[in-house]
Amino acid sequence: MGRSAAEVLAWSRDLLDPALRAAAGELTGEMRRVAEYHFGWRDEHDRPAHGGAGKAIRPALTLLAAEAAGASARDALPAAVAVELAHNFSLLHDDIMDGDRTRRHRPTAWTVFGVNAAMLAGDALLALAFETLAAGPVTVEGLHALSRAVVALVEGQAADVAFETRTDVTLAECEAMAAGKTGALLGGACALGAACGGDTARVARLRAFGTRIGLAFQVVDDLLGIWGDPAVTGKPVHADLVVRKKSLPVVAALGAGTTASTALAGLYHRERPLTAAEAAHAAELVELAGGRAWALRRTDELLGAALAELDAAAPAEPAATELKELALLITHRDH
């Protein structure tokens, strides 16, 4: 019998943290200070701290995918660290581009150390990701898996930024953006782990599993960006609506062709952030136009498609069951 998702994440974190701290410790000066603050290990005065570091779902997927492919989690540990470093590179940059002032219930790194320092720290983490991966038992296929995932992530982020000035974003475009921005790295995480087992066909199946779960992760994240509890998300209520973010439920609602869609467009096409009252009204309009219902249906569809890919990979137990548990956790967060 496999472990629960919570047990898997705790196991993964126990394996990951010492290696992640050692990798980040290769940085010096301001870059080390910013990175260790961002990870929650130190405060803004460089004193030891115990800030939240997130669930580390991506490295957990890497470690489980390795076991599912017949390899050991220990063999995949450098890959798991590399995935987490690459993910946090993207978070440091995203917070700057999105103007987010809070992450994991703390001020974001750029608000503490400045834009330039936070941007450069993100760059340093990405360089460390490839250095860490190359120091482990990596194949050329593994290096390609990470590089392709990062390129797709950056392209997805670029599309997300471009959407800010457009009023004609389609749902298909929005899904393609999310598949790159979020799905690619979860798919890459699974591919990196599976590559430790050496079966190319299994790598492809597990990458597809991760990519679909990653897209579902973004759909749920977008739901939380509108209706999530700030005590859980670490962000203000209706955070995505205040900045008129074209998230998946919003774009689905805007394209529904209803009276609520038209009213929502009137709010979204303004040239300023929404007030708290306007954002609350926008949340009502998204729901009335069917955006919330669409997102819940789409999450279930993506979960089903992901589990079909996982089954087709014929993964070893108990990793197969534990990957399913993680998939359920990702797609059934409180929304």
Side-chain angles (χ1 to χ4, degrees):
M1 176 183 253
R3 296 164 291 188
S4 69
E7 290 170 333
V8 166
L9 291 174
W11 160 78
S12 171
R13 179 60 81 183
D14 286 345
L15 282 176
L16 178 75
D17 274 358
L20 183 62
R21 284 176 179 265
E26 295 295 317
L27 299 175
T28 59
E30 188 76 350
M31 295 301 93
R32 179 195 61 78
R33 288 188 65 213
V34 177
E36 293 189 344
Y37 172 86
H38 170 75
F39 281 118
W41 303 333
R42 303 189 80 81
D43 67 14
E44 63 272 26
H45 303 296
D46 207 25
R47 299 173 303 203
H50 302 284
K55 291 186 174 67
I57 286 172
R58 292 158 187 81
L61 288 171
T62 301
L63 298 174
L64 283 182
E67 293 189 338
S72 74
R74 286 282 177 187
D75 286 343
L77 186 56
V81 173
V83 165
E84 187 68 356
L85 289 168
H87 173 54
N88 281 277
F89 138 77
S90 74
L91 295 183
L92 281 162
H93 284 208
D94 282 0
D95 286 343
I96 294 167
M97 287 184 280
D98 294 343
D100 287 338
R101 305 189 69 86
T102 305
R103 178 173 291 281
R104 299 168 185 156
H105 310 285
R106 306 171 82 210
T108 46
W110 72 269
T111 67
V112 175
F113 299 97
V115 169
N116 291 341
M119 187 75 74
L120 291 169
D123 295 341
L125 291 185
L126 182 58
L128 274 181
F130 283 97
E131 183 176 325
T132 302
L133 184 60
V138 66
T139 63
V140 171
E141 182 180 18
L143 286 168
H144 286 170
L146 183 59
S147 63
R148 286 196 299 267
V150 171
V151 169
L153 183 159
V154 171
E155 289 176 345
Q157 178 65 17
D160 196 20
V161 171
F163 290 172
E164 293 176 6
T165 57
R166 289 179 49 191
T167 60
D168 59 346
V169 178
T170 68
L171 192 52
E173 286 179 306
C174 202
E175 281 212 11
M177 175 276 293
K181 181 179 175 181
T182 305
L185 191 56
L186 271 79
C190 291
L192 276 167
C196 295
D199 184 333
T200 302
R202 188 174 267 163
V203 169
R205 290 290 191 184
L206 287 172
R207 184 201 304 277
F209 161 76
T211 301
R212 284 160 177 73
I213 285 298
L215 181 51
F217 185 102
Q218 187 60 57
V219 177
V220 174
D221 224 43
D222 287 351
L223 284 167
L224 293 173
I226 299 174
W227 293 285
D229 180 353
V232 176
T233 64
K235 295 185 177 183
V237 66
H238 301 145
D240 286 355
L241 297 178
V242 169
V243 297
R244 296 174 296 123
K245 185 176 180 64
K246 295 182 180 71
S247 62
L248 284 157
V250 168
V251 173
L254 287 170
T258 67
T259 302
S261 304
T262 302
L264 180 64
L267 286 173
Y268 252 65
H269 295 166
R270 296 180 181 182
E271 296 298 323
R272 58 168 176 80
L274 302 185
T275 65
E278 289 169 338
H281 183 45
E284 295 173 355
L285 293 172
V286 172
E287 183 148 18
L288 285 171
R292 188 174 195 168
W294 173 87
L296 293 172
R297 286 196 307 272
R298 187 63 177 135
T299 300
D300 287 342
E301 292 169 1
L302 289 164
L303 174 61
L307 295 180
E309 292 287 355
L310 180 61
D311 288 342
E317 289 288 2
T321 297
E322 292 170 352
L323 283 168
K324 290 177 183 177
E325 288 295 319
L326 274 188
L328 289 169
L329 173 71
I330 287 168
T331 55
H332 290 82
R333 288 173 288 162
D334 183 17
H335 53 263

